[in-house]
């Protein structure tokens, strides 16, 4: 084999290796990548995914065509002893072709693109579940006004039913400042929309199968932006109905021991900088006053807390109450300087709010 041939072979092998590496590292889904739009679990996520597959397929074909022609030209017309390049300026035929072909391809892709945009913007099914999502720094409020209750940080939805989310931006942050823009997205269930203060956006979500789906606020909204996780539980209609009826009934509270002391502390705030009840409502009713901090009715029935970033267990609650901004940078809940006894009592009370 001549030296130039072996060099060419090596170059081709390197290029192929690079291509395979790029193709395999960039697109991941499954257990390790729960926030992926490449593994849709409902029709409103499947539509944009299908569009992506189509355009990606077209792009791959174009890539190989263009690179193929380029390689052919490079090899076919490469430098040779005594060969002189043809000298000319412009080629109308080629230029018209190179303008018309991409324009036609783009016009072709526009057809399913516009169709998808209109499909996704359509009103949901008439039996859709309506949920108002209010974004706060740095947690989520879910208002189920049709069922007259409010909850925080964990969205519940029945499978095989449209969920129509009204994304509402709070105007003030409850601490004398202005709220900011957030953005809602659970990639496996639907698209994404910004949540703008003083404005309402709407988006449809739907899950084909029961499961726990994760998302993330995706608009830089302050120090706690990275700690603003979204959790959605897609449930069978039966489980969802049960959950709704649990939320509608008053929370059962333990009335003795640490939990009773915690209840007293929660409301009176005795020996604390301020009582918990000043910011957190224990009344799930949607008519209850707006929440400065997450509504805590039925808190013990949630799997996570503080923007769905911590698992709801005794150890995490203790760490949280000891110093909220210390464990979640940017958290608006101040460090209340609680003693160990106060923390034990408050955690016992929170864990009794079934
Ligand atoms: Cu809220 Cu980023």
């Amino acid at each position: 084999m001549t030296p130039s041939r072996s060099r060419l072979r090596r170059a081709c092998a390197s290029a192929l290796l690079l291509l395979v590496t790029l193709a395999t590292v960039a697109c991941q889904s499954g257990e390790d990548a729960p926030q992926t739009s490449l593994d849709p679990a409902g029709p409103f996520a499947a539509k944009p995914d299908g569009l992506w597959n189509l355009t990606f397929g077209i792009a791959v074909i174009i890539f190989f065509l263009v690179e193929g022609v380029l390689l052919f030209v490079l090899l076919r017309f490469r430098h040779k002893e005594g060969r002189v390049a043809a000298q000319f300026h412009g080629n109308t035929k080629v230029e018209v072709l190179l303008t018309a072909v991409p324009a036609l391809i783009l016009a072709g892709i526009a057809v399913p693109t516009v169709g998808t945009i209109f499909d996704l913007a359509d009103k949901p099914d008439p039996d859709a579940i309506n949920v108002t999502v209010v974004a706060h720094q740095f947690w989520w409020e879910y208002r189920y006004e049709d069922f007259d209750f409010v909850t925080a940080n964990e969205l519940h939805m029945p499978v095989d039913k449209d969920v129509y989310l009204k994304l509402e931006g709070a105007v003030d942050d409850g601490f004398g400042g202005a709220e900011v823009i957030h953005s809602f997205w659970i990639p496996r269930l639907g698209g994404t929309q910004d949540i703008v203060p003083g404005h309402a956006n709407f988006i449809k979500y739907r899950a084909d199968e029961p499961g726990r789906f994760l998302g993330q606020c995706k608009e830089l909204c302050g120090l706690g932006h990275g700690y603003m996780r979204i959790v959605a539980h897609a449930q069978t209609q039966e489980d969802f109905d049960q959950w709704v009826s649990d939320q509608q009934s008053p929370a059962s509270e333990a009335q003795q021991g640490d939990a009773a002391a915690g209840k007293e502390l929660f409301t009176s705030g005795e020996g604390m900088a301020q009582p918990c009840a000043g910011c957190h409502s224990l009344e799930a009713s949607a008519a209850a006053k707006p929440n400065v901090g997450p509504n805590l009715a039925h808190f013990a029935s949630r799997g996570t807390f503080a923007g769905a970033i911590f698992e709801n267990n005794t150890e995490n609650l203790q760490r949280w109450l000891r110093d909220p901004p210390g464990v979640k940078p940017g958290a608006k809940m101040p460090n209340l300087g609680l003693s160990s006894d106060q923390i034990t009592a408050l955690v016992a009370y929170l864990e009794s709010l079934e």
Side-chain angles (χ1 to χ4, degrees), residues 37 39-50 120 186-191 206:
S37 58
D39 183 18
F44 304 132
K47 264 177 203 240
D49 182 57
L120 293 175
I186 305 174
R188 294 191 63 204
L189 298 183
R206 187 175 173 124

Side-chain angles (χ1 to χ4, degrees), residues 225-257:
H225 161 69
Y227 302 92
M228 215 171 150
R229 184 178 285 163
I230 303 168
V231 170
H233 298 281
Q235 299 170 295
T236 59
Q237 186 68 49
E238 204 185 350
D239 288 350
F240 177 73
D241 292 342
Q242 182 60 50
W243 178 77
V244 166
S245 110
D246 289 347
Q247 300 300 308
Q248 286 170 326
S249 50
S252 61
E253 309 173 353
Q255 299 293 342
Q256 49 191 350

Side-chain angles (χ1 to χ4, degrees), residues 135-171:
H136 299 263
Q137 279 173 317
F138 299 93
W139 59 280
W140 305 96
E141 179 178 340
Y142 296 112
R143 306 182 68 85
Y144 289 75
E145 261 128 27
D146 293 351
F147 304 106
D148 190 35
F149 71 84
V150 176
T151 184
N153 289 324
E154 298 200 354
L155 176 73
H156 285 246
M157 57 196 279
V159 291
D160 294 328
K161 207 172 219 182
D162 287 4
V163 177
Y164 201 39
L165 300 176
K166 180 184 181 191
L167 305 170
E168 205 174 67
V171 178

Side-chain angles (χ1 to χ4, degrees), residues 2 18-19 25 48 55 59 89 125 145 160 171-173 177 183 190 195 202 220 222 237 243 249 284 292 301 313 338:
T2 62
L18 184 70
L19 200 71
V25 294
T55 37
H89 178 79
D125 287 348
E145 261 128 27
D160 294 328
V171 178
D172 75 272
D173 67 355
S183 196
I195 308 191
F202 294 85
L220 186 58
Q237 186 68 49
W243 178 77
S249 50
V292 174
S301 69
N313 61 39
L338 301 173

Side-chain angles (χ1 to χ4, degrees), residues 182 217-221 225 228:
H182 303 266
C217 175
K218 50 163 269 294
E219 177 68 39
L220 186 58
C221 54
H225 161 69
M228 215 171 150

